[in-house]
Amino acid sequence: MAFNPKPDDDQVLVEKKSCARVIILNRTRQLNALSFYMVSRLLEIFLEDEGNPDIMLVIMKGNGRAFCAGGDVSAVVRDVKGGDWRLGAKFFENEFKLNYLMATYSKPQVSILNGIVMGGGAGASIHGRFRVATEKTVFAMPETELGLFPDVGSTYFLSRLPGFFGEYVGLTGARLDGAEMLTCGLATHFVPSSKLSLLEESLYKVESNDATTVSAIIDKYSEQPSLKENSVYHRMDAINRCFSRNTVEEILYYLEMEAMNNKADNWASTTIQTLKKASPTSLKVFLKLIRKARLQGIGQCLITDYRVVCHVLQGHYSKDFFEGCRAILMDKDRKPKWEPSRLELVNDRHVDCYFAKLDDEGWKDLELPERLNNLPPYVTSKL
Amino acid sequence: MDNDNRRASRRTEVLSNHLLPRPHTTTTLLSPSNCLSYSPPELSSSNPVSFDTSVMRSLLDGHNLDDRDWLFGLIVQSPLFNRQERGGRVFVSVDYNHTMEQQREETMRRIGYLLDRGVFRGWLTGDGPQEELRKLALHEVISMYDHSLAVKIGVHIFLWGGAVKFLGTKRHHDKWLRATENYELKGCFAMTELGHGSNVRGVETVTTYDSRSGEFVINTPCESAQKYWIGGAANHATHTIVFSQLYINGGNQGVHAFICPIRDSSGNVCPNIRIAECGHKIGLNGVDNGRIWFDNVRIPRENLLNSVADVSPRGEYLSSIKNVDQRFAAFLAPLTSGRVTIASSAVYISKIGLSIAIRYALTRRAFSMTPNGPEVLLLDYPSHQQRLLPLLAKIYAMSFAGLELKMMYVNRTPESNKEIHIVSSAYKATFTWNNMRTLQECREACGGQGVKSENRIGPFKGEFDVHSTFEGDNNVLMQQISKALLGEYIVCQTKKQPFRGLGLEHMNNPVPVLPSQLRSSILRSSEFQLDLFHLRERDLLGRFVAEVSQYQAQGESKESAFNLVSPLPCFVNYSFIDSLPYSLYVLPELSSCRGLGQSFLRTSNTENLHRGGVEGASWFIEGCLGSVEVVICLDFCG
């Protein structure tokens, strides 16, 4: 466990406002990055509140300028380097169980994304029933530049975005603002940050856990923001043409064609540059992940994510995750040396191996928490 | 007076009830029926899955899983495939409300999209088993979405493209293959005529050679010679393969294949060609089937597909195959791929139908067993299980057999061609017939919901009915089996050599002996069941050969002898069908897969008993086992 000067229980503030549970992520110096403690505590709260008839909904938000910038992967790396990779795996095990619980929760979760929401932060919010974006929201799944991959069951919701936007967002780690999130469906509502306190006050008055009631309340404060002029969302045709391809190599090929045919717009060449900086192994693994996830329920997605992340931690086929964390998070030279260093050098059979069960003594597939029988229909459709 | 008062006050009460708003008292006499509370069957905790379903999928699909997932994604994420979001889930299926013309235009648009995304790359220009397997996998995914789309693509790539590839030579490959893959032209396959379908050798279209101009002249001499049911011809096709009798210097050289343009690039029908519409069909209305008449149409000499035979510029007929029958057989080679893909897709459609019906039966309830008790799930009734589960077991066997056939096909050699021809004919006939029976049972098992088009099973019946008569009429194909087995038997008998191929190796072993005490553990064992099927095949084949030989000895021709011993050839066919998949799909391999293998073995053994019971009953009754008791055991073991 990471050493922290503050007392741990400060990292998650828990309040109750009549029938609403309010959870505030409070690790502002680390942009609310989820520590092992925070994940465990959130799991605890969600499990307890499910059986509590006095709680009708859950509101989640973050202190400071972020909602949550991700899982605390530096801590995971420290744990793995310290000894057994399985220690690092435990973090992901808890995090994915939390993601599953949030995705299948019988009460609506409203996440107020008033700031940075990335990686693990997306896992802790997008699976919930309502996601409120603001003009300050910045969303991204930047894991491929770290040698990891968009985990936390993100392949479930990314694969269900329009066309092949999910492939684009996951492979490139592209940043999206609140308006873009609303347009593609990652966010369910857009509320200007000035109206957030009023929104929250109204939410505290909710007396039923019926999602339509909650939605109607948020609707009152919602707006329809317009997309910025150079929004990547205006390029859906090109995104679909390129990111629907069968392999990462073909995606790059078609991006190059796009760049050649459209010299006035530098979107394609910027995208190519971004992809070239990411770990080739991560790109191939994620592409296979999202294509499978499109045809699976949330439980299966998380089970697969857990298998892949364990292989990543075990480091048998590639140590890119550790190199990525070193270059981006620790030494901050931003010059990771990926191994294999190019797409052509990545062995496709190794990519397949990431999806298999681990051949390790005592390792087991992720065990998902039992869910109740009378879940709302918007939940059963995810299973 | 009192009565009047009471009546008046009663009347006042009624009137005031009308005028004064009263709070609504909700009646709780009715509560929603349990039947309507839907919970997906896989969420039920009472029967947790004991094995890894991704391993099962891998075994059943067999190959190119990633390619299939990619294509599923292409279909699901595009607005062109009638994507519907219901309750948080995405469904894709054709829009059943559309007219014939709309369906045809939609089909072409979908093809354009798939072409654009590179789906067809390598389907003709690629070579080798890996490329072929990828092509077959992607085509299977397409046929699961829409049969019209699969057939429209199949006609262009597998029939037109296949003919160019396998019947043509380098000059045809260079000119046409890549253009076909890129849809620079649209091909179709004009073999069937109004008067001749199964009997391809009897087609009446006539082609002669004009040595002065170096052209072939194709002509439709009479109405029965018009090409009919030509997929793609009515609206879109620009080129066709024409099967026609070839007359050189007044002599008929038999049926040959020619390339003939039928439309120009703007879509106008070429001169001397008449095209008409076949009309609305019971299914496959996304395919524009057409009728074609050739009115002395001239094509260059090079358009003869000349891998088997050729005509020199001076008009000399040349062929490396002297035997006319063998030459004709070579022309039919491209049709094998059709039988392989049809057998596969029939299995997938049965799987979809069964999945829908079984999942429905796991959520729909009807009648209680106890007063005031909850209504019972359909699949909890043994009678419902007996309707659906044997079909499920059967489809597992067919699935593995189909996979085996695909592997045989992509790894084909000239030596294995005969066996592939027989097995593909046998499987195409069996699997397509089975599909129709399965779909009917599934439709009934879903009751009224089975009549709703959106629930897919009903439309499948119309769409896939044609499977049993196109690309080879099933009954005609089955006859090929008994003919081949007869031939094989006689050859082995006269040359005194052991049986090899066609699953007849068991005939080299001593006759299997069935135990006199038939306990249920014996009835359920794989060895006993295999022995039973082998014994049946050995006995029927022996009798068939003996009776045919007897008639031939009396002066009858082989063909009339066949008719005279009817229905024995049919029984021979069925016994071949029943024992072949069993010995083909390797049970030891399966049982090595923990848990999964055991489930398969149980279902397949059960199914075999059922098959043996129902379809083989006549043989059993005829006295080989001599015990009615056994027949009853077989029928009831479920």
Side-chain angles (χ1 to χ4, degrees):
Chain A
M1 285 239 261
F3 170 68
N4 213 324
K6 284 199 318 193
D8 275 357
D9 55 3
D10 203 330
Q11 295 177 359
V12 179
L13 304 172
V14 184
E15 296 168 12
K16 186 164 180 295
K17 300 271 206 265
S18 62
C19 302
R21 164 72 69 216
V22 182
I23 302 176
I24 306 171
L25 302 174
N26 187 37
R27 206 180 160 216
T28 48
R29 283 245 303 276
Q30 281 76 28
L31 297 176
N32 300 331
L34 297 172
S35 64
F36 189 97
Y37 166 79
M38 289 163 85
V39 168
S40 311
R41 182 81 183 101
L42 286 168
L43 203 46
E44 226 172 56
I45 300 167
F46 270 82
L47 282 169
E48 243 176 61
D49 283 350
E50 183 143 57
N52 184 349
D54 290 334
I55 305 281
M56 296 295 170
L57 81 153
V58 179
I59 301 174
M60 262 190 67
K61 46 190 214 170
N63 272 349
R65 61 186 187 90
F67 169 80
C68 169
D72 193 348
V73 287
S74 328
V76 171
V77 168
R78 273 198 300 274
D79 286 343
V80 173
K81 291 221 156 130
D84 190 5
W85 65 267
R86 280 188 258 204
L87 211 53
K90 196 88 185 96
F91 169 78
F92 290 107
E93 189 186 331
N94 282 350
E95 191 186 17
F96 295 174
K97 285 185 176 171
L98 174 66
N99 298 140
Y100 183 70
L101 198 52
M102 288 172 160
T104 58
Y105 213 49
S106 52
K107 306 181 191 200
Q109 173 189 341
V110 181
S111 301
I112 314 275
L113 307 173
N114 192 23
I116 298 171
V117 51
M118 298 189 181
S125 55
I126 309 290
H127 289 300
R129 182 69 181 83
F130 298 107
R131 290 86 60 185
V132 178
T134 72
E135 75 283 356
K136 298 200 184 130
T137 311
V138 179
F139 171 96
M141 301 301 293
E143 289 88 341
T144 51
E145 73 187 36
L146 268 180
L148 186 54
F149 63 94
D151 56 345
V152 295
S154 61
T155 47
Y156 178 83
F157 54 73
L158 289 176
S159 61
R160 284 151 174 85
L161 296 180
F164 297 87
F165 198 53
E167 270 89 337
Y168 167 71
V169 166
L171 285 170
T172 63
R175 272 56 173 164
L176 304 177
D177 63 22
E180 286 162 334
M181 280 185 81
L182 184 68
T183 315
C184 72
L186 282 169
T188 54
H189 296 82
F190 181 98
V191 171
S193 57
S194 52
K195 294 198 186 156
L196 284 179
S197 38
L198 288 171
L199 167 64
E200 287 178 54
E201 289 295 326
S202 301
L203 286 172
Y204 300 157
K205 299 202 186 85
V206 158
E207 283 176 12
S208 90
N209 64 357
D210 176 33
T212 9
T213 322
V214 177
S215 187
I217 294 176
I218 313 178
D219 282 343
K220 286 213 302 272
Y221 300 93
S222 300
E223 280 176 17
Q224 289 294 326
S226 37
L227 291 168
K228 60 182 191 258
E229 212 181 291
N230 66 340
S231 164
V232 80
Y233 208 78
H234 289 311
R235 298 182 174 85
M236 275 308 284
D237 275 347
I239 291 178
N240 284 341
R241 264 200 303 277
C242 299
F243 286 86
S244 60
R245 302 292 153 181
N246 202 350
T247 61
V248 182
E249 290 91 335
E250 280 172 71
I251 291 176
L252 275 169
Y253 175 78
Y254 280 91
L255 279 170
E256 276 161 30
M257 301 271 284
E258 195 67 40
M260 265 189 350
N261 295 336
N262 216 339
K263 294 206 167 72
D265 184 2
N266 72 342
W267 168 81
S269 38
T270 325
T271 307
I272 295 172
Q273 291 318 309
T274 315
L275 288 174
K276 290 200 166 155
K277 283 200 233 142
S279 149
T281 307
S282 295
L283 292 177
K284 288 203 170 191
V285 168
F286 173 72
L287 188 63
K288 189 173 159 117
L289 261 171
I290 192 174
R291 298 264 153 96
K292 279 201 160 0
R294 190 164 273 134
L295 308 168
Q296 291 176 329
I298 181 67
Q300 199 53 52
C301 289
L302 285 163
I303 290 174
T304 311
D305 276 358
Y306 183 67
R307 282 190 194 179
V308 178
V309 88
C310 285
H311 280 290
V312 166
L313 293 176
Q314 210 187 30
H316 189 60
Y317 303 106
S318 166
K319 303 211 186 321
D320 280 359
F321 175 49
F322 304 101
E323 172 59 6
C325 285
R326 177 207 68 73
I328 312 282
L329 299 176
M330 290 186 289
D331 298 347
K332 301 204 177 150
D333 57 49
R334 306 218 130 235
K335 287 205 177 80
K337 290 189 192 47
W338 306 123
E339 185 52 51
S341 55
R342 290 200 320 274
L343 286 169
E344 310 80 71
L345 300 175
V346 177
N347 187 334
D348 284 332
R349 271 204 303 278
H350 284 173
V351 174
D352 292 341
C353 291
Y354 277 87
F355 292 74
K357 294 199 209 202
L358 264 78
D359 197 7
D360 205 82
E361 184 74 47
W363 182 89
K364 275 188 304 194
D365 261 331
L366 183 68
E367 269 160 25
L368 298 170
E370 276 282 323
R371 302 305 294 122
L372 307 174
N373 274 331
N374 41 349
L375 294 167
Y378 64 79
V379 169
T380 46
S381 64
K382 292 192 204 175
L383 293 166
Chain B
M1 204 46 186
D2 240 346
N3 258 346
D4 285 343
N5 279 344
R6 254 177 286 159
R7 276 210 309 273
S9 56
R10 169 90 187 106
R11 192 75 199 129
T12 319
E13 205 185 310
V14 169
L15 284 172
S16 49
N17 274 342
H18 286 195
L19 296 168
L20 296 171
R22 290 282 165 97
H24 224 30
T25 41
T26 44
T27 42
T28 45
L29 289 173
L30 292 176
S31 50
S33 166
N34 227 7
C35 303
L36 286 180
S37 71
Y38 170 72
S39 183
E42 60 269 18
L43 297 187
S44 148
S45 51
S46 52
N47 268 321
V49 171
S50 62
F51 54 86
D52 189 341
T53 50
S54 62
V55 174
M56 173 164 135
R57 188 229 170 161
S58 177
L59 279 174
L60 286 175
D61 272 344
H63 59 96
N64 298 91
L65 300 186
D66 285 351
D67 289 314
R68 292 171 197 262
D69 287 347
W70 168 65
L71 184 50
F72 280 128
L74 279 183
I75 292 174
V76 161
Q77 296 299 105
S78 161
L80 285 176
F81 294 82
N82 194 34
R83 174 179 212 274
Q84 305 274 335
E85 224 182 278
R86 296 245 199 286
R89 290 193 122 114
V90 174
F91 296 91
V92 278
S93 68
V94 292
D95 190 334
Y96 297 106
N97 295 310
H98 283 176
T99 64
M100 196 167 79
E101 286 313 320
Q102 281 175 306
Q103 286 180 50
R104 290 170 180 191
E105 290 317 307
E106 260 161 20
T107 302
M108 286 313 288
R109 272 201 296 272
R110 287 169 186 151
I111 292 179
Y113 167 78
L114 295 175
L115 172 68
D116 202 47
R117 294 290 185 258
V119 172
F120 307 129
R121 217 180 17 173
W123 281 32
L124 286 171
T125 54
D127 267 312
Q130 293 312 315
E131 286 286 333
E132 288 220 68
L133 282 175
R134 180 174 174 273
K135 171 172 70 176
L136 293 175
L138 295 177
H139 193 246
E140 277 160 22
V141 170
I142 292 171
S143 71
M144 281 193 257
Y145 170 72
D146 178 28
H147 198 207
S148 291
L149 187 60
V151 167
K152 186 93 178 169
I153 293 170
V155 162
H156 174 81
I157 302 258
F158 290 92
L159 291 180
W160 153 270
V164 170
K165 189 165 183 176
F166 299 117
L167 302 182
T169 51
K170 185 169 188 308
R171 65 163 184 259
H172 302 113
H173 300 168
D174 290 344
K175 187 168 180 187
W176 305 106
L177 280 186
R178 189 164 297 279
T180 303
E181 224 176 74
N182 296 338
Y183 267 92
E184 287 160 29
L185 57 90
K186 298 185 190 62
C188 63
F189 194 77
M191 182 186 255
T192 298
E193 295 176 356
L194 178 56
H196 290 84
S198 292
N199 184 14
V200 177
R201 272 175 109 158
V203 295
E204 295 178 278
T205 306
V206 167
T207 300
T208 49
Y209 183 63
D210 181 350
S211 49
R212 278 175 303 132
S213 59
E215 290 171 320
F216 285 108
V217 185
I218 307 178
N219 194 47
T220 304
C222 54
E223 282 308 299
S224 53
Q226 73 189 262
K227 294 298 180 187
Y228 214 106
W229 294 125
I230 312 307
N235 291 0
H236 301 119
T238 56
H239 291 75
T240 185
I241 308 280
V242 185
F243 280 74
S244 140
Q245 304 292 347
L246 174 61
Y247 281 82
I248 297 289
N249 298 325
N252 185 357
Q253 296 295 343
V255 175
H256 290 70
F258 304 86
I259 291 181
C260 181
I262 56 176
R263 274 189 185 83
D264 63 25
S265 47
S266 319
N268 304 310
V269 178
C270 293
N272 296 358
I273 292 188
R274 219 181 348 134
I275 294 183
E277 166 71 61
C278 286
H280 193 267
K281 307 185 288 288
I282 60 174
L284 286 183
N285 282 309
V287 181
D288 51 322
N289 292 86
R291 304 149 70 180
I292 311 177
W293 292 259
F294 299 91
D295 190 10
N296 291 315
V297 176
R298 291 176 160 267
I299 53 169
R301 185 189 63 89
E302 291 76 17
N303 279 20
L304 165 65
L305 291 174
N306 63 339
S307 66
V308 167
D310 205 349
V311 172
S312 72
R314 280 182 328 173
E316 261 179 275
Y317 183 75
L318 314 151
S319 174
S320 51
I321 304 182
K322 294 298 160 214
N323 184 307
V324 182
D325 293 336
Q326 277 180 9
R327 205 187 301 152
F328 176 67
F331 275 116
L332 297 187
L335 293 181
T336 310
S337 72
R339 285 198 287 274
V340 172
T341 57
I342 290 169
S344 274
S345 64
V347 169
Y348 274 105
I349 298 306
S350 296
K351 285 178 181 171
I352 297 175
L354 282 168
S355 302
I356 295 173
I358 291 176
R359 287 173 62 85
Y360 183 69
L362 283 168
T363 51
R364 180 61 149 104
R365 294 171 180 275
F367 296 105
S368 324
M369 299 285 269
T370 57
N372 301 323
E375 293 187 67
V376 177
L377 280 176
L378 294 184
L379 206 64
D380 281 343
Y381 288 104
S383 55
H384 207 87
Q385 289 168 18
Q386 277 148 23
R387 288 166 72 183
L388 294 177
L389 299 185
L391 293 174
L392 180 66
K394 203 181 288 217
I395 213 65
Y396 273 116
M398 291 182 177
S399 183
F400 288 108
L403 255 178
E404 192 68 38
L405 172 61
K406 265 191 281 183
M407 295 306 165
M408 261 201 280
Y409 174 70
V410 302
N411 292 310
R412 60 191 178 280
T413 62
E415 293 77 45
S416 67
N417 268 334
K418 187 166 95 160
E419 176 151 8
I420 294 176
H421 178 76
I422 298 298
V423 175
S424 67
S425 301
Y427 285 177
K428 185 265 185 192
T430 317
F431 297 176
T432 55
W433 269 329
N434 179 68
N435 187 32
M436 293 313 293
R437 281 188 227 131
T438 301
L439 288 174
Q440 178 60 27
E441 193 66 60
C442 291
R443 204 298 293 157
E444 292 180 28
C446 291
Q449 291 301 326
V451 177
K452 200 171 149 104
S453 294
E454 203 179 76
N455 290 329
R456 303 201 81 197
I457 299 177
F460 276 168
K461 290 177 23 158
E463 290 286 311
F464 289 93
D465 199 345
V466 70
H467 259 182
S468 52
T469 52
F470 82 174
E471 298 287 317
D473 176 283
N474 281 0
N475 293 288
V476 173
L477 289 178
M478 290 290 271
Q479 282 173 21
Q480 311 264 297
I481 301 172
S482 41
K483 286 200 177 114
L485 290 175
L486 177 74
E488 189 70 20
Y489 195 100
I490 290 180
V491 161
C492 292
Q493 210 175 41
T494 42
K495 289 195 186 165
K496 298 214 187 305
Q497 66 191 32
F499 288 99
R500 219 164 41 91
L502 296 180
L504 290 175
E505 288 82 354
H506 66 91
M507 308 265 285
N508 298 326
N509 302 339
V511 180
V513 175
L514 301 178
S516 52
Q517 300 273 37
L518 291 169
R519 289 191 301 281
S520 87
S521 58
I522 294 181
L523 285 175
R524 286 186 179 285
S525 78
S526 313
E527 298 79 47
F528 172 75
Q529 291 175 7
L530 201 54
D531 279 349
L532 207 56
F533 286 126
H534 285 165
L535 191 57
R536 175 173 165 221
E537 179 163 45
R538 180 190 290 256
D539 176 67
L540 283 170
L541 195 50
R543 275 199 278 153
F544 174 52
V545 172
E547 292 196 23
V548 165
S549 306
Q550 195 173 42
Y551 277 113
Q552 282 185 291
Q554 290 168 8
E556 299 284 350
S557 71
K558 201 183 339 185
E559 286 69 32
S560 53
F562 258 69
N563 284 339
L564 289 164
V565 306
S566 186
L568 208 41
C570 262
F571 294 152
V572 167
N573 295 335
Y574 285 123
S575 74
F576 173 81
I577 296 281
D578 284 341
S579 42
L580 193 53
Y582 204 93
S583 36
L584 272 184
Y585 87 84
V586 186
L587 293 170
E589 215 177 276
L590 281 182
S591 53
S592 71
C593 201
R594 281 189 307 276
L596 183 57
Q598 294 313 309
S599 311
F600 273 141
L601 277 174
R602 269 201 299 280
T603 45
S604 69
N605 288 355
T606 306
E607 190 277 319
N608 288 326
L609 290 175
H610 183 260
R611 258 196 298 158
V614 173
E615 280 154 16
S618 60
W619 178 73
F620 296 130
I621 289 170
E622 272 184 43
C624 285
L625 290 177
S627 163
V628 175
E629 210 181 285
V630 177
V631 177
I632 293 171
C633 279
L634 285 170
D635 248 334
F636 281 22
C637 278

